[in-house]
């Protein structure tokens, strides 16, 4: 429930990335940090850190790992080209592969496709409510989310948004 996903590649290995909601909401990161190879990540624990920098300063958000296990591969292409996280979050924008002896347990704890789609819709509704007082939600009629909307927020709103939607 922190806008990351995991897709099984085998009985023990899953690919991990951020979901389309996060990809649309956040600006293109200036840097991406993943755990080092052979590091253990815990489901619901700190996983991936995205940094966003410009002339006005730097912000970051830490995304939670959707699975337990050892990091066995990192997508170097996505680290070099963070725009892949936005343009292809479920394809070339994956971030790491995790091996777990109990991968089936980790995956059972995640939302499956139909429930995930409903949950994303609920997240969109919560986002509209979250942004309504700021007058930044230009799609209050239920239209599509404005790309990189979070990048327009002031620091206090950024902190509230990342805590609410990414639990960081």
């Amino acid at each position: 429930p922190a806008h990351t996903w995991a897709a099984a590649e085998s009985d023990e290995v899953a690919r991990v990335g951020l979901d389309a909601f996060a990809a649309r909401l956040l600006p293109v990161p200036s840097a991406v940090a993943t755990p080092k190879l052979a590091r253990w990540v815990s489901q619901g624990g700190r996983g991936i850190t995205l940094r966003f920098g410009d002339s006005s300063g730097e912000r970051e958000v830490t995304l939670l790992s959707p699975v337990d296990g050892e990091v066995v591969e990192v997508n170097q292409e996505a680290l070099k080209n963070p725009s892949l996280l936005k343009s292809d979050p479920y394809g070339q924008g994956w971030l790491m592969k995790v091996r777990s002896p109990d991968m089936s347990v980790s995956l059972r704890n995640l939302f499956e496709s139909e429930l995930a789609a409903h949950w994303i819709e609920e997240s969109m509704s919560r986002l509209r409510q979250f942004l309504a007082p700021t007058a930044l939600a230009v799609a209050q009629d239920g239209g599509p989310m404005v790309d990189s909307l979070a990048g327009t927020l002031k620091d206090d709103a950024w902190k509230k948004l990342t805590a609410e939607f990414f639990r960081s």
Side-chain angles (χ1 to χ4, degrees), residues 25-93:
L25 180 59
L26 298 168
V28 173
S30 55
V32 180
T34 61
K36 297 189 184 313
L37 292 176
R39 282 309 238 313
W40 187 268
V41 292
S42 296
Q43 188 171 47
R46 297 174 66 86
I48 301 155
T49 300
L50 306 177
R51 290 188 181 83
F52 310 92
D54 61 22
S55 59
S56 64
E58 187 166 297
R59 295 175 169 172
E60 70 177 39
V61 61
T62 299
L63 304 174
L64 306 180
S65 176
V67 294
D68 283 328
E70 174 188 0
V71 177
V72 293
E73 188 177 341
V74 173
N75 184 354
Q76 296 298 324
E77 190 59 35
L79 298 185
K80 290 179 204 169
N81 184 6
S83 66
L84 290 173
L85 278 67
K86 290 186 75 64
S87 64
D88 193 11
Y90 301 110
Q92 294 179 332

Side-chain angles (χ1 to χ4, degrees), residues 3 21 117-133 137 139-143 145 164-165:
H3 296 287
F21 177 86
H118 176 72
W119 181 73
I120 292 275
E121 288 176 26
E122 180 65 27
S123 293
M124 289 293 295
S125 176
R126 285 184 18 241
L127 179 64
R128 282 191 275 287
Q129 291 173 353
F130 180 89
L131 294 173
Q140 285 297 313
D141 62 352
M145 178 169 52
E164 170 75 17
F165 292 96

